[in-house]
Amino acid sequence: MFRRVVRQSKFRHVFGQAVKNDQCYDDIRVSRVTWDSAFCAVNPKFVAIIVEASGGGAFLVLPLHKTGRIDKAYPTVCGHTGPVLDIDWCPHNDQVIASGSEDCTIMVWQIPENGLVTSMSEPVVVLEGHSKRVGIITWHPTARNILLSAGCDNMIMIWNVGTGEALITLEDMHPDVIYSACWNRSGSLICTACKDKKVRVIDPRKEEIIAEKDKAHEGARPMRAIFLSDGNVFTTGFSRMSERQLALWNPQNMEEPISVHEMDTSNGVLLPFYDPDTNVVYLCGKGDSSIRYFEITDEAPYVHYLNTFTTKEPQRGMGYMTKRGLDVNKCEIARFYKLHERKCEPIIMTVPRKSDLFQDDLYPDTAGPDPALEAEEWFEGKNGEPILISLKHGYIPGKNRDLKVVKKNILDNKPKMMDQTQQCCWSFKHLTVAKGEAKLDEVLKEIKSLRELVSSQEKRIAKLEEQLSQMDI
């Protein structure tokens, strides 16, 4: 009899609120480089922001509590010789951050526990392999020390940061600039968006494309593609009429999208931020002054608009806090760090609840900081789902272990000899030593005889000189 008009959802009343001025990070010169990355990365300890730097590239790393005006002389991470284009915190160590730059290198840094005291110019490791600028970097979600990088040379490289080696290079898959790259939840696949208007799903270890969609969005402006926790792919882009679009795809059948939504005609690239625990996607457009959020479900139309948070100032970039860093007592389900021209402003998203008790429907177990796999296991073909933790009593950070880079010695890779061969080598070595000793004795005898000869010749010369002097007289 009665049709439900309003869809029920616990996130329908999510509301955003910017913090007060004294809780912002003020007087920061945010980078003006023309690149569509977020320019900001956040974890439960630090906020990192790419800033303007003369004669190179730099980014600030501030402890979360270091709010207020930031001194111009505050130390930076400044090892790159070109502007920094992308930064990403390691999900398994809150003191390790990677940066990609116009100088074609990726650098991995270990930040001191209490933040920087002096500027840092020496990274733990420099990863060199790209021939053009590196615009995308992203850590593996479940395996320790694995980093993906994508450059303007249209190559994707997957590094073992622990040894400083590029173990996988995907160089013939993208004919043009790669706009985005994203791991799936277990880190077994990646999805990419490219300037050729194709979205690709790739198995990096087999080095093969599993699925691709041509003209996922027909507009010429940049696209973004991310994996959702159920394995579907969510994309943002532009229509032929330059309208901003979002779409949902099933990699098993990418002929037609599951859902497509037209939004508006603004020209800022939409950066998607995804919460796998609540299945909410937040869209932040560069140059926009709003954050739109959508819930993704199994019911048509699958992508449900929730609300829009609007401010007066446009955003230059955006940082997104992981679930571990949120305040569960305030029913906070997301926190953004919005970059203005001269400041960084935290924005808190909360679900209003009357009870002060822990809301387990808002906070299912979330990905913790412990890796499920070591790098070598992943490269050998193993997969691991994220190791989940409960946020019931808040997140208590553990002690982070230092990032150690062990460069492999090529000489160590020589195969071991068989026992018989070793015996032959041993006997040959001893035979050679014995022969050498006999030869040495011979040489010593010869030297002795030559010395005697020289001494006798000296005596003879002295005698002749004496005779010659007597004749002169």
Side-chain angles (χ1 to χ4, degrees):
M1 289 291 289
F2 298 102
R3 192 163 61 86
R4 195 172 73 229
V5 178
V6 179
R7 188 183 68 89
Q8 284 189 326
S9 167
K10 51 181 170 269
F11 304 111
R12 242 183 67 221
H13 300 291
V14 169
F15 76 98
Q17 193 170 19
V19 300
K20 291 176 181 167
N21 272 341
D22 61 342
Q23 290 174 288
C24 295
Y25 307 86
D26 264 318
D27 214 14
I28 293 166
R29 293 183 305 147
V30 176
S31 175
R32 285 193 172 85
V33 68
T34 51
W35 188 253
D36 289 320
S37 72
F39 288 178
C40 181
V42 199
N43 71 14
K45 280 189 174 178
F46 301 106
V47 53
I49 302 160
I50 303 174
V51 292
E52 283 285 289
S54 52
F59 58 95
L60 272 175
V61 176
L62 304 168
L64 291 183
H65 59 77
K66 175 98 176 90
T67 52
R69 188 178 170 278
I70 306 300
D71 196 285
K72 280 189 174 67
Y74 194 86
T76 59
V77 179
C78 54
H80 285 286
T81 56
V84 177
L85 301 178
D86 198 15
I87 48 178
D88 194 28
W89 287 104
C90 176
H92 308 123
N93 187 332
D94 287 341
Q95 286 163 235
V96 171
I97 187 168
S99 57
S101 164
E102 257 185 38
D103 64 10
C104 309
T105 66
I106 301 116
M107 293 184 180
V108 181
W109 312 83
Q110 176 114 22
I111 306 298
E113 194 161 351
N114 299 314
L116 296 175
V117 180
T118 57
S119 285
M120 185 181 276
S121 58
E122 288 297 316
V124 180
V125 64
V126 181
L127 307 173
E128 295 175 297
H130 286 284
S131 58
K132 289 188 181 176
R133 59 185 181 168
V134 182
I136 299 165
I137 47 169
T138 174
W139 290 91
H140 192 285
T142 61
R144 193 196 308 275
N145 290 348
I146 292 180
L147 183 67
L148 177 149
S149 66
C152 289
D153 49 9
N154 311 337
M155 268 174 29
I156 287 178
M157 301 181 85
I158 297 175
W159 307 82
N160 181 348
V161 175
T163 60
E165 297 175 293
L167 296 183
I168 295 171
T169 304
L170 310 174
E171 51 188 331
D172 298 322
M173 292 185 177
H174 300 88
D176 216 324
V177 177
I178 300 161
Y179 287 141
S180 77
C182 175
W183 296 97
N184 68 350
R185 188 145 165 86
S186 66
S188 59
L189 301 172
I190 55 175
C191 71
T192 64
C194 179
K195 196 176 180 179
D196 68 354
K197 300 183 185 176
K198 282 188 181 179
V199 170
R200 295 171 174 85
V201 177
I202 299 167
D203 185 329
R205 288 170 296 191
K206 290 181 182 170
E207 299 188 17
E208 66 182 32
I209 297 169
I210 286 174
E212 67 180 350
K213 172 61 182 170
D214 192 16
K215 292 187 179 173
H217 296 278
E218 294 193 5
R221 305 269 301 131
M223 295 192 295
R224 287 283 184 280
I226 58 168
F227 263 117
L228 305 183
S229 56
D230 60 3
N232 286 341
V233 173
F234 181 89
T235 61
T236 65
F238 292 79
S239 71
R240 196 180 293 169
M241 306 301 290
S242 293
E243 288 180 308
R244 292 199 290 195
Q245 291 179 321
L246 54 91
L248 189 62
W249 307 84
N250 179 356
Q252 310 297 324
N253 177 20
M254 292 189 80
E255 285 302 309
E256 290 296 322
I258 299 169
S259 174
V260 181
H261 288 251
E262 250 92 34
M263 286 169 58
D264 54 26
T265 51
S266 180
N267 63 355
V269 176
L270 285 168
L271 305 177
F273 297 96
Y274 174 60
D275 179 358
D277 304 327
T278 57
N279 248 0
V280 175
V281 173
Y282 301 86
L283 298 183
C284 309
K286 277 201 127 182
D288 287 10
S289 52
S290 61
I291 301 170
R292 293 177 178 85
Y293 29 109
F294 298 80
E295 187 179 2
I296 294 167
T297 67
D298 298 332
E299 302 171 24
Y302 307 105
V303 179
H304 305 272
Y305 171 75
L306 290 171
N307 212 334
T308 302
F309 167 77
T310 310
T311 53
K312 291 175 185 172
E313 296 287 322
Q315 54 229 17
R316 295 282 295 277
M318 194 68 80
Y320 178 63
M321 175 66 83
T322 59
K323 257 321 183 21
R324 294 182 288 125
L326 302 180
D327 187 345
V328 296
N329 299 319
K330 291 180 182 171
C331 295
E332 184 182 6
I333 63 158
R335 192 188 310 155
F336 291 93
Y337 286 73
K338 174 181 171 177
L339 299 186
H340 299 244
E341 205 167 327
R342 301 285 297 191
K343 75 170 179 180
C344 172
E345 175 186 43
I347 293 166
I348 292 165
M349 300 281 183
T350 50
V351 176
R353 291 282 166 98
K354 288 176 181 173
S355 169
D356 290 336
L357 298 173
F358 177 73
Q359 308 291 321
D360 49 11
D361 61 327
L362 297 181
Y363 301 104
D365 288 358
T366 190
D370 294 326
L373 301 167
E374 294 297 325
E376 293 74 19
E377 292 177 299
W378 184 81
F379 283 112
E380 284 163 10
K382 287 186 184 174
N383 292 321
E385 290 295 320
I387 295 173
L388 304 179
I389 58 168
S390 169
L391 296 176
K392 187 160 189 175
H393 304 293
Y395 169 65
I396 297 121
K399 183 89 176 86
N400 287 311
R401 70 184 201 180
D402 287 352
L403 172 64
K404 288 187 172 64
V405 178
V406 182
K407 298 273 185 173
K408 282 192 177 172
N409 185 345
I410 301 160
L411 300 175
D412 291 345
N413 297 339
K414 289 192 174 179
K416 291 183 178 177
M417 302 281 189
M418 290 165 65
D419 291 346
Q420 200 175 348
T421 318
Q422 280 179 330
Q423 283 176 359
C424 291
C425 287
W426 186 83
S427 55
F428 176 72
K429 193 165 87 175
H430 278 261
L431 187 65
T432 311
V433 169
K435 279 187 179 176
E437 283 175 355
K439 189 85 174 165
L440 186 65
D441 287 345
E442 238 176 88
V443 170
L444 288 169
K445 277 179 189 174
E446 203 171 323
I447 291 169
K448 195 177 177 184
S449 66
L450 282 168
R451 274 185 181 160
E452 285 169 1
L453 182 65
V454 168
S455 130
S456 68
Q457 291 293 338
E458 279 176 345
K459 283 177 188 173
R460 187 163 170 265
I461 289 164
K463 205 173 183 181
L464 286 167
E465 281 176 343
E466 198 181 324
Q467 285 175 4
L468 194 64
S469 65
Q470 283 175 358
M471 282 172 71
D472 288 347
I473 294 165

